[in-house]
Amino acid sequence: MNGYRMTPQQKSRPSAPPRSRSRLTSPVSLILVSLLLAGCGGGAQQASRPVHYVSEQTVAMYAAQPDGDMTIPAVNPAWLSDDKVRREVDYWSDEKPGTIIVDPWARYVYYILGDNRAIRYTAAVGKEGRGFAGTAYIPMKREWPRWTPTANMIKREPEVYEPLRGGMEGGLDNPLGARALYLYRNGRDTLYRIHGTPYPWTIGTADSSGCIRLYNQDSRDLYDRVETGAKVIVLRRDQFGRGTVPPGTPLPTPPADDLSVAAPEATADTEAGIEAGI
């Protein structure tokens, strides 16, 4: 069973938009939006951020996507910005193409292309998601994955998780979103996931119960690229920004708000302690 702990914000936030097959029907050169994010302390209020512009290309990239008998909803432009869009970037690495490198401190996921290039995805990851570092592999991946709370989660908050004891079918409201990549180490499940999310407003922030979440559109893009058995490297805090500068160049400094939190190398104890699927 893979774990996931709902935060107070997630319990009070609105559910994902209803299923729709609508697409972007008329192009716009620039869209003026006011970024809305959930307020502090678990309330349902959303606080306004400074007005910003989102390019037509970014909006189109995160438009609704038919996906079998489902439709991945469009990401509200209020939750987008041009700097969070997936893109090909310089990334200096000797890892073979197809490797995934996660920098939870920078909130980025890199898919290695080779020749010092990678696809970069913006992620959401909180403190618990930094409790795993090191090397893993992906023995399986799932479309619209099922999610099941752990026994400890049910014991701790039975009023929340008891109704879900038998699991939650994949769908628009499922915490794992449209796709999930399952990370294993030494033949056992780390309970660590790279996956989509029904909470797109959290992408690029530290608002996450644990694992690495992406926009659903990005989780689908990464899923389609990754082969079963792929290697995954999750960086420690002292490796922040590794690969983003040429070899021999000093690594960038982590943001000040990350300095007090350090992720150890993965061990059996830290793996067993991760109870987060989003």
Side-chain angles (χ1 to χ4, degrees):
M1 293 189 300
N2 47 295
Y4 159 67
R5 178 167 53 81
M6 293 183 181
T7 65
Q9 291 93 333
Q10 291 159 4
K11 295 173 187 175
S12 61
R13 283 174 178 157
S15 61
R19 187 181 305 180
S20 169
R21 295 190 177 273
S22 62
R23 284 180 173 269
L24 204 64
T25 56
S26 59
V28 289
S29 57
L30 287 175
I31 294 183
L32 178 64
V33 297
S34 174
L35 182 61
L36 302 177
L37 291 176
C40 298
Q45 297 292 327
Q46 292 188 328
S48 295
R49 284 286 188 88
V51 170
H52 71 280
Y53 293 89
V54 181
S55 69
E56 175 186 336
Q57 291 78 9
T58 293
V59 174
M61 183 177 292
Y62 295 96
Q65 295 181 357
D67 188 40
D69 62 352
M70 303 282 284
T71 295
I72 296 175
V75 177
N76 187 323
W79 304 328
L80 291 171
S81 63
D82 292 339
D83 63 335
K84 292 194 291 188
V85 69
R86 70 175 177 270
R87 55 166 53 98
E88 186 174 326
V89 298
D90 289 327
Y91 195 84
W92 287 267
S93 175
D94 294 330
E95 297 295 335
K96 69 178 183 179
T99 300
I100 295 174
I101 297 179
V102 179
D103 189 338
W105 310 91
R107 298 170 196 143
Y108 287 131
V109 174
Y110 298 91
Y111 177 83
I112 301 300
L113 298 173
D115 296 324
N116 296 324
R117 299 289 287 174
I119 302 294
R120 188 185 73 187
Y121 305 86
T122 302
V125 54
K127 180 178 178 180
E128 292 89 345
R130 297 165 182 167
F132 177 94
T135 302
Y137 68 97
I138 299 172
M140 62 181 180
K141 55 183 188 174
R142 295 287 185 267
E143 300 182 11
W144 298 103
R146 182 181 179 83
W147 168 73
T148 305
T150 66
N152 284 339
M153 293 162 66
I154 296 172
K155 180 179 179 180
R156 184 172 58 244
E157 297 184 80
E159 71 284 357
V160 175
Y161 297 113
E162 181 62 40
L164 298 172
R165 178 183 289 274
M168 183 178 184
E169 294 297 330
L172 298 180
D173 295 324
N174 189 292
L176 294 181
R179 300 289 189 275
L181 307 177
Y182 296 74
L183 275 63
Y184 277 58
R185 184 183 175 103
N186 298 324
R188 62 189 293 265
D189 189 356
T190 66
L191 304 181
Y192 199 82
R193 313 282 185 254
I194 302 173
H195 61 88
T197 181
Y199 315 117
W201 54 85
T202 65
I203 299 302
T205 76
D207 186 356
S208 171
S209 294
C211 301
I212 302 297
R213 68 168 80 133
L214 309 174
Y215 289 123
N216 274 331
Q217 286 83 347
D218 285 351
S219 72
R220 183 185 186 187
D221 183 89
L222 180 60
Y223 177 99
D224 289 343
R225 297 176 187 274
V226 172
E227 296 183 1
T228 300
K231 180 180 179 181
V232 180
I233 301 172
V234 183
L235 303 182
R236 303 183 308 270
R237 190 192 69 80
D238 65 317
Q239 297 171 315
F240 171 88
R242 193 182 76 176
T244 62
V245 294
T249 304
L251 294 178
T253 302
D257 62 351
D258 287 337
L259 295 178
S260 62
V261 184
E265 286 287 352
T267 65
D269 289 338
T270 59
E271 289 166 2
I274 295 174
E275 286 190 338
I278 86 156

